[in-house]
Amino acid sequence: HLVSLLRPGGGLLVTTLNRTQLSYALSIVAAERILKLVPDGTHDWSKYITPDELRNHMAENGLETKRLIGAAYNGISDEWYVVPETSVNYLMFATKPSKTDAQG
C-alpha cells in the first residue's frame, strides 16, 4: 500500500483515466487504434477508475482527498493542461492525517 509509505501529513498525487465512454473513445479508439500514439493494448478500460471510486478507496485507507482536477493532453504541442473537466484524465491529491489532525 502506498499509504504505508506516507508520513503523517504526507501527500499522494494520483493521475489516471476516468472510466467513461469518452475516455474509452479517446484513449483506446483514438490514441491506440486510429492515431497509433501508443501500442494497441496499452490501456485496459476495465481498470480505469472513476473519481468517486478513487476517493472512496483513499478514504478507506485513511487518506483525505484535498483536490480533484481534470487534465488534457495536446498531442501537437506535447503538453498537458489543467482543465475543469474530469471525464477523461484527472489528478487527485490526498493527504494522510498528521498526528495533530488525528487528535482533534
Side-chain angles (χ1 to χ4, degrees):
H1 286 114
L2 291 174
V3 175
S4 66
L5 300 175
L6 292 176
R7 294 180 182 165
L12 175 65
L13 178 66
V14 175
T15 62
T16 192
L17 288 153
N18 197 345
R19 193 177 56 254
T20 63
Q21 291 178 344
L22 182 58
S23 70
Y24 181 87
L26 293 176
S27 66
I28 295 175
V29 176
E32 288 184 22
R33 298 180 186 161
I34 297 172
L35 300 174
K36 303 291 186 190
L37 296 174
V38 295
D40 284 345
T42 295
H43 300 101
D44 182 345
W45 191 73
S46 69
K47 293 181 180 177
Y48 292 11
I49 186 168
T50 69
D52 285 342
E53 291 168 343
L54 183 56
R55 185 181 292 111
N56 290 339
H57 184 69
M58 288 192 178
E60 290 167 1
N61 287 279
L63 297 178
E64 181 182 343
T65 298
K66 298 291 187 179
R67 186 99 191 259
L68 169 68
I69 58 173
Y73 178 69
N74 182 324
I76 296 170
S77 65
D78 193 30
E79 295 180 326
W80 286 90
Y81 297 92
V82 172
V83 296
E85 181 62 42
T86 60
S87 63
V88 180
N89 298 289
Y90 66 92
L91 297 84
M92 186 175 288
F93 179 73
T95 58
K96 185 175 186 177
S98 65
K99 292 179 183 178
T100 56
D101 289 342
Q103 295 173 354

